[in-house]
Amino acid sequence: MSAHRLDRDEARAIAVRAQWLGRHRPENLLATVRQLTLLQVDPTAAVAPSADLVAWSRLGSSHHPEQLTRALEDRSLVEHNALVRPMEDIALLLAGMARWPSREAPREWLRANESFRRDVVERLRSSGPLLSREIPDTSSVPWASTGWTHDRNVTQMLEFLMMRGEVAIAGRRGRQRLWDVADRVYPPGMPVVPEDEARRIRAERRLRALGIAREKGASVPGEPVDVGDTGEPAVVEGVPGTWRVDPNALGRPFLGRTALLSPFDRLVHDRVRTQEIFGFEYVLEMYKPKARRRWGYFALPVLHHDKLVGKMDAVADRSAGRLVVNELHEDVPLTASARDEVCAEIEALAGWLGLAVSDRAS
């Protein structure tokens, strides 16, 4: 098959429309997550929790955080490995869970702590769902790490058993995860899709959610950014190499709008694609020392129609009832009408949060 030839305008429109960031807003949370395939969970909530911020960017003021909580409680959505997915998609992960882990270090730690593993599963079976702090640490060998997981044995065991499909996240109490045995969280009789087929289906859904992506890409934590040989080949004018494009996304009209995006939004998650198609440089700077930040601790990318035009450095000061906008960084000078749309979206975000907008000097 000869490659589709796209200019950058077409490529950007395909990417934005696939992420349901065009003018026509979706109507409900479940349909949105099914289209996006996932919402990333992150504990940082400088403005709002990322999963809710992604949902708000699509649904607008009709989205309420309680809707996500209810969807996790009624099992239409499920949290697994820091990603919220439609429950039916767990079937695509089960075969991979059965052979986890592939690395020797977690395998050896699990072998050394077999009695601890049994204690955790039995405690959940008899008393779950439970918070991690409600589960005794009976480990024989502590988990050793140079990071924050060092000696956090119960949490590490729960994470590993989640990846193996023995336990699952049953919901949340505040920001804390509730854990239970997997067969009380996942529907009974859920089919185990063979790994090769599951990999193909996930790549197809990923391409539908992204619109356009690379066949091969760098390995990243969580969900991959590449899509294999699914879709059809495409070349983008001025960008080296071949892409894969969702054929159903070609030739469709595009009507854009302005949106404020989470730093974990899938439109910008693949920083290489973001640079190549949108010409947009972005780094999440909360891990950098303050003096080295260019755009701010938790700067929100600003989408205007089919272009990423800047970053908004803001923080929700809930004790003062304010959404404090420290700075609006313009990658390209905004027209008066574009600036009006961005300001209107900032007001909409503040209204959704129940806050008033103020600048840093206020």
Side-chain angles (χ1 to χ4, degrees):
M1 172 181 288
S2 61
H4 299 280
R5 306 194 70 83
L6 307 172
D7 60 31
R8 288 200 189 190
D9 289 351
E10 292 171 306
R12 289 195 304 268
I14 287 169
V16 173
R17 189 171 52 237
Q19 280 287 294
W20 282 13
L21 285 163
R23 191 171 302 174
H24 176 70
R25 290 184 183 269
E27 295 182 356
N28 66 75
L29 178 62
L30 182 56
T32 300
V33 180
R34 282 175 171 155
Q35 171 62 24
L36 303 184
T37 73
L38 57 87
L39 300 175
Q40 185 169 337
V41 178
D42 188 87
T44 308
V47 174
S50 181
D52 285 310
L53 191 53
V54 171
W56 172 80
S57 294
R58 277 76 182 170
L59 295 159
S61 60
S62 68
H63 173 68
H64 302 285
E66 311 86 69
Q67 294 169 340
L68 179 54
T69 301
R70 284 198 301 271
L72 292 168
E73 290 173 348
D74 69 21
R75 306 285 195 259
S76 54
L77 297 177
V78 65
E79 181 181 344
H80 175 80
N81 196 24
L83 300 172
V84 172
R85 300 178 182 274
M87 177 60 83
E88 62 265 25
D89 283 7
I90 289 295
L92 303 174
L93 306 179
L94 291 175
M97 291 180 190
R99 64 175 186 81
W100 194 94
S102 59
R103 295 187 299 112
E104 180 58 28
R107 277 204 304 267
E108 177 58 34
W109 190 74
L110 286 167
R111 281 194 294 266
N113 282 294
E114 174 58 22
S115 63
F116 179 30
R117 183 197 68 81
R118 289 197 303 269
D119 288 346
V120 170
V121 173
E122 289 170 6
R123 176 61 66 101
L124 290 175
R125 176 72 64 189
S126 63
S127 305
L130 297 172
L131 300 172
S132 61
R133 66 171 179 262
E134 296 171 327
I135 300 172
D137 181 355
T138 61
S139 59
S140 301
V141 178
W143 176 254
S145 169
T146 58
W148 70 273
T149 61
H150 181 73
D151 212 22
R152 296 172 65 93
N153 303 314
V154 173
T155 299
Q156 199 65 27
M157 179 61 76
L158 289 166
E159 295 275 0
F160 284 178
L161 296 183
M162 173 189 66
M163 297 303 293
R164 282 162 54 117
E166 292 187 68
V167 308
I169 300 170
R172 286 190 173 245
R173 187 183 299 165
R175 293 190 181 182
Q176 302 298 310
R177 293 174 293 182
L178 284 165
W179 298 89
D180 206 345
V181 290
D183 57 21
R184 286 206 293 248
V185 177
Y186 303 153
M190 178 171 277
V192 179
V193 181
E195 272 196 278
D196 286 347
E197 183 183 354
R199 194 176 296 112
R200 175 187 60 79
I201 293 171
R202 288 176 64 189
E204 289 173 351
R205 293 185 183 177
R206 193 179 310 125
L207 182 59
R208 184 189 66 188
L210 296 173
I212 183 169
R214 293 290 193 182
E215 181 175 340
K216 296 180 180 179
S219 178
V220 296
E223 190 74 358
V225 297
D226 51 25
V227 296
D229 62 359
T230 191
E232 296 177 358
V235 293
V236 178
E237 181 183 357
V239 181
T242 303
W243 298 78
R244 306 299 297 189
V245 66
D246 177 3
N248 295 318
L250 294 167
R252 294 176 55 194
F254 174 74
L255 293 173
R257 61 180 175 87
T258 297
L260 303 172
L261 307 179
S262 163
F264 301 102
D265 198 289
R266 296 300 283 183
L267 186 70
V268 298
H269 184 75
D270 181 351
R271 310 298 196 217
V272 175
R273 186 186 84 140
T274 305
Q275 180 73 61
E276 290 179 325
I277 293 181
F278 290 89
F280 186 71
E281 181 187 3
Y282 183 76
V283 176
L284 179 57
E285 296 183 309
M286 66 183 186
Y287 305 109
K288 288 186 176 184
K290 186 174 182 179
R292 293 178 54 196
R293 294 174 192 153
R294 289 180 290 171
W295 306 309
Y297 176 81
F298 197 74
L300 276 56
V302 179
L303 175 71
H304 179 64
H305 296 236
D306 66 336
K307 296 179 176 65
L308 290 161
V309 296
K311 297 97 175 169
M312 183 187 74
D313 175 17
V315 62
D317 184 349
R318 291 174 176 82
S319 62
R322 303 186 304 161
L323 176 65
V324 181
V325 179
N326 295 315
E327 194 162 354
L328 180 61
H329 302 272
E330 298 183 16
D331 283 36
V332 294
L334 299 180
T335 65
S337 61
R339 190 172 291 106
D340 287 345
E341 289 187 40
V342 173
C343 290
E345 196 66 8
I346 294 171
E347 290 284 354
L349 174 60
W352 176 65
L353 294 170
L355 306 174
V357 178
S358 70
D359 60 29
R360 179 171 46 190
S362 298

